C-alpha cells in the first residue's frame, strides 16, 4: 500500500520539488498541505494525483488534521520578513507543526533546517537561527526526524532577484560574499534525493544531510552564465557584506547576515553525500546548460 507523505510548501520551490519526485513513484501518495487548495499550483498537483488539504501554521488543529494517517511529512517553514516578529513567528509555527506531527503519530519527519549561526559563529542570522531552533525543538520532543539543509538554489537565477542589468549592458550578480565560495544545488534535483530518504527511513532517521551540487565563487557562477548565455556577460558585485546590509530595503540586514555566514562560516553541506542520495545531482554548469532557454526567457521578460 502506498505510503502517504504530507508535503508542506508543495506550491513553492522546495516542497514542489519533493512533491514532483514523489508523484513519479507509485510507492507514495502525496498529500499537499497548503493554505489555498484552489491556487493554480495546488490544482495542478491535484490533477497529477495529489490529495490537497488546507491547513495553516497558525491553526494547530488544522495541522493535526492534515497529518492524520500520514506515514511521513516534509516540513519547511517560511519567514515572513516583512513582519518585525518574523523570527519568533517562524519558531512558533515550526513548533506547532512539530507538535501536530507528534500528536498524529507521523513515523518520519523530514525537516528543512539551516545552521545555528548564533551558536557556532557568535553573531545572529535570524533567517537561519529560527530554523535551527525549530530543529532543536523537534529533537527535544522525540520526533523521528531527518534533517536536510538547502544551500543557494540554482533556480534563484530564474527569478533574477539579485541579477541587475547595468548601463553597459552587462549583468551584475548581487551576492555580496566578497570572493568566498558557496554551495549551490538544484531544488528540482533535491526532490529526488528527498524521495530516497523517504524510501530508506531506517537508514536516514536521526541523520543530517546538507545538500550540494558544487561549491563555487560568484565569479565562477558569472563565468558559467557568460559561457552558456553569450553574448550576455555576467560579473559579481563588488559590494561588501556591510554595504549590502545597509541597503534601503526591508530585510537587507538579515540577508546581509546570511551572506556574512556564507563568507565566514562553514555551512554544513556535502556534495558527495548528496550524490550518494541522488546520482543525477547536477553541477551549476550542467544546470545552466539544461536551463539556457528558461534563463534567456527570464532575462528578456524581467530586464
Amino acid at each position: 500500500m502506498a505510503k502517504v507523505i504530507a508535503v508542506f510548501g508543495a506550491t513553492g520551490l522546495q516542497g514542489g520539488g519533493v512533491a514532483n519526485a514523489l508523484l513519479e513513484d507509485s510507492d507514495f501518495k502525496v498529500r499537499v498541505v497548503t493554505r489555498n487548495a484552489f491556487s493554480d499550483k495546488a490544482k495542478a498537483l491535484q490533477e497529477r494525483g495529489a490529495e490537497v488539504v488546507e491547513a495553516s501554521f497558525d491553526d494547530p488543529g488544522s495541522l493535526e488534521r492534515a497529518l492524520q494517517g500520514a506515514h511521513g511529512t516534509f516540513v519547511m517553514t517560511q519567514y515572513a520578513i516583512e513582519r518585525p516578529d518574523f523570527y519568533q513567528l517562524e519558531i512558533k509555527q515550526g513548533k506547532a507543526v512539530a507538535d501536530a506531527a507528534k500528536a498524529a503519530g507521523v513515523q518520519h519527519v523530514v525537516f528543512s533546517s539551516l545552521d545555528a549561526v548564533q551558536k557556532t559563529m557568535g553573531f545572529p542570522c535570524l533567517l537561519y537561527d529560527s530554523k535551527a531552533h525549530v530543529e532543536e525543538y523537534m529533537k527535544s520532543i522525540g520526533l523521528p526526524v531527518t534533517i536536510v539543509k538547502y544551500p543557494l538554489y540554482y533556480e534563484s537565477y530564474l527569478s533574477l532577484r539579485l541579477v541587475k542589468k547595468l548601463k553597459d549592458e552587462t549583468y551584475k550578480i548581487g551576492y555580496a560574499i566578497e570572493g568566498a565560495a558557496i554551495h549551490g544545488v538544484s531544488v528540482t534535483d533535491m526532490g529526488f534525493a528527498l524521495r530516497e530518504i523517504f524510501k530508506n527511513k531506517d537508514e536516514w532517521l536521526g541523520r543530517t544531510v546538507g545538500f550540494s551540487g558544487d561549491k563555487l565563487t560568484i565569479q565562477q557562477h558569472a563565468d558559467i552564465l557568460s559561457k552558456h548565455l553569450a553574448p550576455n556577460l555576467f560579473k559579481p558585485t563588488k559590494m561588501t557584506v556591510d554595504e549590502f546590509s545597509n541597503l534601503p530595503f526591508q530585510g537587507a540586514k538579515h540577508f546581509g547576515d546570511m551572506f556574512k555566514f556564507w563568507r565566514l562560516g562553514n555551512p554544513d553541506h556535502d556534495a558527495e553525500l548528496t550524490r550518494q542520495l541522488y546520482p543525477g545531482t547536477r553541477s551549476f554548469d550542467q544546470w545552466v546548460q539544461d536551463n539556457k532557454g528558461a534563463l534567456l526567457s527570464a532575462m528578456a521578460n524581467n530586464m
Side-chain angles (χ1 to χ4, degrees), residues 31-299:
R31 179 182 296 166
V32 171
V33 185
T34 179
R35 288 172 298 178
N36 180 8
F38 298 99
S39 71
D40 290 343
K41 290 183 178 180
K43 288 191 288 186
L45 288 165
Q46 189 172 38
E47 288 171 2
R48 292 181 58 195
E51 174 191 6
V52 178
V53 299
E54 286 191 343
S56 168
F57 284 122
D58 298 318
D59 180 357
S62 73
L63 295 173
E64 191 171 334
R65 289 191 296 273
L67 291 170
Q68 284 297 327
H71 169 83
T73 182
F74 173 75
V75 178
M76 62 165 296
T77 54
Q78 293 181 310
Y79 51 80
I81 204 164
E82 69 280 1
R83 292 182 49 158
D85 64 340
F86 79 89
Y87 173 77
Q88 295 84 356
L89 179 64
E90 186 170 6
I91 292 172
K92 178 183 176 182
Q93 292 179 340
K95 287 183 174 181
V97 74
D99 290 340
K102 180 85 170 179
V106 176
Q107 297 179 43
H108 192 187
V109 176
V110 179
F111 177 59
S112 179
S113 186
L114 289 169
D115 297 75
V117 176
Q118 177 71 65
K119 184 180 294 185
T120 59
M121 299 297 295
F123 62 83
C125 178
L126 300 188
L127 302 178
Y128 274 52
D129 291 330
S130 54
K131 290 177 171 58
H133 193 107
V134 174
E135 173 189 335
E136 186 176 313
Y137 179 76
M138 287 182 166
K139 292 176 178 177
S140 75
I141 63 173
L143 277 184
V145 65
T146 300
I147 301 300
V148 297
K149 297 179 180 180
Y150 285 77
L152 168 71
Y153 305 163
Y154 300 154
E155 283 83 356
S156 295
Y157 283 105
L158 292 171
S159 71
L160 302 176
R161 281 178 295 180
L162 283 177
V163 178
K164 181 180 180 181
K165 190 173 184 179
L166 304 179
K167 291 181 180 179
D168 64 2
E169 298 295 309
T170 63
Y171 293 87
K172 182 175 69 175
I173 303 172
Y175 292 102
I177 53 176
E178 302 175 49
I182 59 171
H183 293 275
V185 79
S186 164
V187 182
T188 300
D189 291 350
M190 291 308 94
F192 296 98
L194 263 295
R195 188 175 71 184
E196 288 304 304
I197 289 173
F198 280 118
K199 275 183 170 290
N200 299 281
K201 178 189 72 166
D202 293 341
E203 180 181 352
W204 294 99
L205 274 178
R207 296 178 65 181
T208 296
V209 184
F211 294 141
S212 177
D214 50 22
K215 186 178 183 181
L216 303 172
T217 65
I218 299 303
Q219 180 64 63
Q220 288 173 302
H221 278 220
D223 292 343
I224 289 167
L225 289 163
S226 298
K227 177 180 72 173
H228 290 293
L229 305 180
N232 298 294
L233 182 64
F234 293 78
K235 58 188 178 184
T237 182
K238 295 181 180 179
M239 188 179 295
T240 66
V241 168
D242 288 342
E243 288 169 341
F244 187 97
S245 296
N246 288 314
L247 289 175
F249 72 87
Q250 193 168 28
K253 172 64 166 62
H254 302 301
F255 287 111
D257 290 339
M258 180 179 71
F259 292 156
K260 182 179 179 180
F261 175 59
W262 286 2
R263 183 170 69 89
L264 299 177
N266 185 28
D268 182 16
H269 299 284
D270 188 331
E272 182 179 347
L273 184 57
T274 301
R275 287 189 170 84
Q276 287 178 22
L277 271 167
Y278 181 52
T281 298
R282 288 170 290 181
S283 67
F284 184 60
D285 187 89
Q286 292 170 318
W287 182 86
V288 174
Q289 186 172 0
D290 291 344
N291 289 274
K292 179 178 176 179
L295 286 161
L296 289 171
S297 177
M299 291 167 64

